[in-house]
């Protein structure tokens, strides 16, 4: 019985080491652990926009994936503690390109920039004042070529001082 237990403990330890290597390398290089290929271009643009606004971002340990197991009313969600973004494949397939990019920027706003939802402030055309608005519905129309820059500026610079998540120690 003891040799089986030792073998189990050795295999468990080896598995833990193997699974932790991507996170350790990710933290060292400030690269995400995994970004689904469908999201890579938007992620490159997100990083470029952060740099343009002189915002240093920590994307280490970030994971962004698709799932079919998200409820029918949730387009995506972020788990800030693990820096994991889960995007509903069903809803993604119904969005236009503007809404897709807005959705990803919104979720990375939570996971990377630590931004909370912003429910206040609408423009004349009923567009939310922030990409951090909790509902995607208006974003397919609002996050367009004319408005994209102002949404991105607000996301990265937070000029209105909207609430952010508390910074926790690693």
């Amino acid at each position: 019985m003891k040799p089986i237990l030792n073998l189990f403990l050795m295999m468990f330890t080896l598995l833990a080491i193997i699974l932790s290597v991507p996170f350790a390398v990710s933290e060292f290089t400030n690269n995400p652990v995994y970004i689904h290929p469908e999201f890579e271009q938007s992620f490159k643009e997100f990083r470029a926009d952060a740099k343009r606004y002189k915002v240093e971002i920590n994307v280490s340990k970030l994971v962004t994936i698709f799932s079919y197991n998200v409820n029918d009313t949730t387009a995506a969600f972020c788990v800030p503690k693990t820096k994991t973004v889960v995007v509903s494949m069903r809803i993604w397939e119904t969005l236009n390109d503007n809404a897709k990019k807005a959705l990803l920027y919104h979720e990375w706003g939570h996971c990377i920039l630590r931004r909370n939802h912003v429910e206040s402030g609408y423009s004349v055309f009923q567009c939310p004042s922030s990409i951090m608005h909790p509902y995607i519905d208006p974003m397919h129309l609002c996050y367009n070529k004319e408005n994209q820059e102002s949404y991105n500026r607000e996301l990265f610079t937070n000029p209105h001082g909207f609430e952010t998540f508390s910074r926790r120690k690693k």
Side-chain angles (χ1 to χ4, degrees):
M1 184 71 169
K2 195 169 185 176
I4 293 173
L5 181 61
N6 286 342
L7 180 63
F8 174 76
L9 288 174
M10 186 173 67
M11 290 183 67
F12 181 77
T13 303
L14 183 61
L15 182 63
I17 291 169
I18 290 170
L19 292 176
S20 66
V21 168
F23 290 104
V25 170
S26 170
E27 192 162 340
F28 178 71
T29 61
N30 192 26
N31 283 319
V33 172
Y34 179 76
I35 302 289
H36 189 281
E38 177 83 13
F39 311 139
E40 284 179 359
Q41 183 58 40
S42 292
F43 185 69
K44 286 178 187 174
E45 292 171 18
F46 185 89
R47 285 183 112 165
D49 285 337
K51 187 175 184 177
R52 195 161 42 92
Y53 288 108
K54 298 174 177 43
V55 175
E56 289 193 34
I57 57 174
N58 180 354
V59 298
S60 70
K61 300 182 182 179
L62 178 68
V63 174
T64 307
I65 58 172
F66 275 125
S67 176
Y68 282 103
N69 298 324
V70 179
N71 73 44
D72 291 339
T73 60
T74 303
F77 62 90
C78 162
V79 182
K81 187 173 183 175
T82 61
K83 285 179 126 176
T84 302
V85 174
V86 179
V87 178
S88 167
M89 178 65 92
R90 283 187 211 97
I91 293 178
W92 180 263
E93 291 171 343
T94 68
L95 300 176
N96 67 24
D97 290 342
N98 292 335
K100 287 177 179 180
K101 185 174 178 179
L103 177 67
L104 291 171
Y105 270 45
H106 173 98
E107 296 307 329
W108 292 328
H110 288 310
C111 276
I112 298 170
L113 301 173
R114 316 277 308 154
R115 293 284 305 272
N116 273 334
H117 282 145
V118 174
E119 293 193 45
S120 63
Y122 283 89
S123 72
V124 176
F125 302 108
Q126 295 302 307
C127 287
S129 61
S130 173
I131 198 170
M132 295 310 296
H133 188 272
Y135 304 106
I136 193 69
D137 290 344
M139 295 313 292
H140 72 283
L141 298 173
C142 299
Y143 192 77
N144 55 37
K145 289 191 187 291
E146 294 80 30
N147 298 329
Q148 202 172 86
E149 186 60 33
S150 64
Y151 277 118
N152 292 347
R153 184 180 323 104
E154 190 282 326
L155 175 67
F156 288 102
T157 65
N158 194 10
H160 308 294
F162 291 127
E163 186 178 347
T164 59
F165 299 139
S166 63
R167 298 276 179 191
R168 291 185 294 266
K169 293 181 181 178
K170 292 181 183 180

